[in-house]
Amino acid sequence: MNAAGVHAAWLHPRLAAQVIRPRRDGRAEIALRVEGLTDPRQVLRLDERLHALPGVARVAIDARAQRARVVWNPDRLGLPQLLDAFGAEQCSARPLRREHIDDARSGEANDALKRLLVAGMCAMQVMTYAFVMYIGVVDFVDFTTRGLFRWLSLLTTAPVVAYSAQPFLLGAWREVRTRRLGVNLTVSLAVVLTFGASVWSTVRGHGEIYFDSVSMFVFLLLAARHVELRARHASGALGEAAQDATPLLAERRRADGSLETVPALELVPGDRVRIAEGGTVPADGVLESDAVEVDEALLSGESRPRRRQRGERLVAGSVVLGSPAELRVEHSGDDTTAARLGQLAGRARQARPGDDAADREATRFVLRVLVLTLLTALAWLWLDRTRAFDTAVAVLVVACPCAFALTRPAAVTRALAVLAGRGVLVTEPAALDTLARVDYALFDKTGTLTTPWLEPDAIEPLRDGLAPTQALRLAAALARESTHPLAMALAAAWTGDTPPARDLKVTAAAGIGAEVEGRALRLGRPDFALAPSGCAAPASAAGTLMLADLDGPLAAFHISEAPCSDAAATLQALRGEGIVTVLASGDTRARVAPVANALGVKRWAGRQSPADKLGLLQVARVQGQVTLAVGDGSNDAPALAGADVSAVLASGTDLAQAHADLLLARGRLDGLLQARHIARQLAHVVAQGRRWSLAYNLLAVPFAAAGLVPPWLAAIGMSVSSLVVVLNGLRVGRAPVRPALRA
């Protein structure tokens, strides 16, 4: 299909609505990913060409980010013509979803940076005024000149308090409203009291001023928070990149075999889609053409292409290399793996990096600071009334628990970013604390530790006149409705058309039943499949998937399983750290035993229902063990929800992912080792930062209470202390993984 045809597809109303945002002034706005922006002169030519188009009002091109943002009048210029202009400059443009037009993270980062810059510039200027007064240069001029420097300091510090310190003031107000003591309250009290006292001294014309202390205090604290913010924004990038890579257009094959370009959002299960050479897969589905090379680096992290055979699944966002491919759609839109990954990334980004215990600890710390400040003020009111205020402010600033409160958020946000870059999404940050203490791990078997497949000669017909291909066709009609790995392996073995399944009913850890071509069929464990007929299962069918109707068995499918490539090394590494590894599966003991032996697992159990798996975890918790559950299926959801911490592979079902604390986005178990290694680093860094904060306070507070530390020195010391613990938090993830943890 030529470029003009592809661009014309953007006239589709539903497709345009995904990428164009109407503005109140009647114009439209769009964000685009632009490929090939390598020459500054090319950027200039592109900017001139776009501005020359009718109706274009504003163009912003970011060559480093390969992004462009255009505001134009859609009544005078269509989106296809706008895209043609990019192509004319040899830099193809692809519209992005409209939520990318306003990047909330970018806005937050820009706002924080502006406040930091204002505080920094004002602090430097105020320090200049203070330096002049400190060295006594103005001692030889009249009182009016000294007053002028005071007023200049006041005017320069005012923007710092009114604008730069606004996040602390608003945070303090929220803490007062919710009756919760927090770090913002102590920061705000220190800023307001010190600034207010300095203003009063300036107006009176005598007394100490601390404008330099206030401005430097706010600047250093904002610098610490800005470092934390950058680390927090790095988390979730994996999921957003996956969503960004998923195309909005697809080439759907009509009933007559011709192709039509449609929005990927309109694809429904069963649609046939053609993916051109070098094209991006628009939906999750089954490959129905010959084997192709697929680049899945965005989701799997593997740099080398993978070869996918007919019947295997392709995921949205992967790139088809070599020859074109034909895909039968299974999931599209928000149901794709990439979309779920993005949603989980959003959950991870929005989650607060803290927990109730840490909040309570910070609250107690703040309360002690306020009490200590009050006692210091009362003591100096009795000893020397003139020094009471300055000494109390010095104690308040020195003991401000900023370093204490910033230690955990800084380290956690860094940990989230590092793990996201390594293919592990953390949906519940508090789970990292638990993961570092885990000593009991329960694993599901099929799809988690093993990869199933069905050989063509592994189909055993159990009824006269039924051919293996006929049995596979009927079984595939049921299997394609299930997300269980065994069912998916069976469905992938059938490449032809399947009849529709009606009145579908899934029984967890047992099988699936439905009406197919007027027959009530069941597929699953032999006892489940044969229950309506009352027949006994043949001896050869033990441990197989069985297909049966109301009259008895139809066929048995002997599905093979092999341990995942990294399963043995992962379990061995966990056992090396003293973690008890347990294998629990709904499969028969005959099928579980060889897998357990191959993986070196001593404790294992077969025929485990979801309730049985949950029971194993509950027993371990009663014995005082910290539990981890790892699975991928809906039948694992109770165990995942009941464990102290849980992990799910990217191929897991929506229900399983909804109960998971960790998502192994690259589908590899060694992501657990990465996560545990980072979790242990996190625990060490947090403990280290809090020890530093405590030691600093124990050392500095007595001097401040004795009146030996002026407020300006207290502000600098506290701010530097906060910056130190934030920078220390950024050490998480920098230490190499120990050899014992390598898969």
Side-chain angles (χ1 to χ4, degrees), residues 456-639:
D457 58 355
I459 303 173
E460 179 186 1
L462 298 176
R463 186 169 297 181
D464 294 339
L466 182 66
T469 54
Q470 293 175 312
L472 181 59
R473 175 176 174 271
L474 293 174
L478 277 71
R480 64 177 296 182
E481 304 296 335
S482 174
T483 56
H484 192 280
L486 293 180
M488 294 172 67
L490 192 153
W494 176 252
T495 58
D497 294 331
T498 55
R502 299 183 176 86
D503 299 330
L504 193 72
K505 185 177 181 181
V506 177
T507 302
I512 184 171
E515 181 181 325
V516 179
E517 296 182 336
R519 303 169 67 180
L521 299 179
R522 280 194 171 198
L523 176 70
R525 289 184 349 200
D527 57 338
F528 167 80
L530 296 174
S533 65
C535 297
S540 62
T544 67
L545 273 184
M546 178 170 286
L547 177 68
D549 59 13
L550 296 178
D551 297 325
L554 290 172
F557 301 91
H558 300 264
I559 296 180
S560 304
E561 286 186 280
C564 297
S565 59
D566 58 341
T570 299
L571 294 179
Q572 181 180 359
L574 292 176
R575 288 193 294 269
E577 294 190 352
I579 298 177
V580 177
T581 57
V582 179
L583 172 57
S585 173
D587 215 338
T588 63
R589 292 178 57 85
R591 290 178 62 86
V592 177
V595 174
N597 291 334
L599 297 176
V601 177
K602 304 301 182 183
R603 297 177 58 176
W604 57 270
R607 292 291 189 186
Q608 295 293 293
S609 67
D612 294 332
K613 294 181 181 180
L614 180 59
L616 291 174
L617 290 170
Q618 291 173 339
V619 170
R621 295 179 72 178
V622 169
Q623 295 173 349
Q625 293 178 298
V626 181
T627 59
L628 163 69
V630 186
D632 72 322
S634 298
N635 60 324
D636 298 321

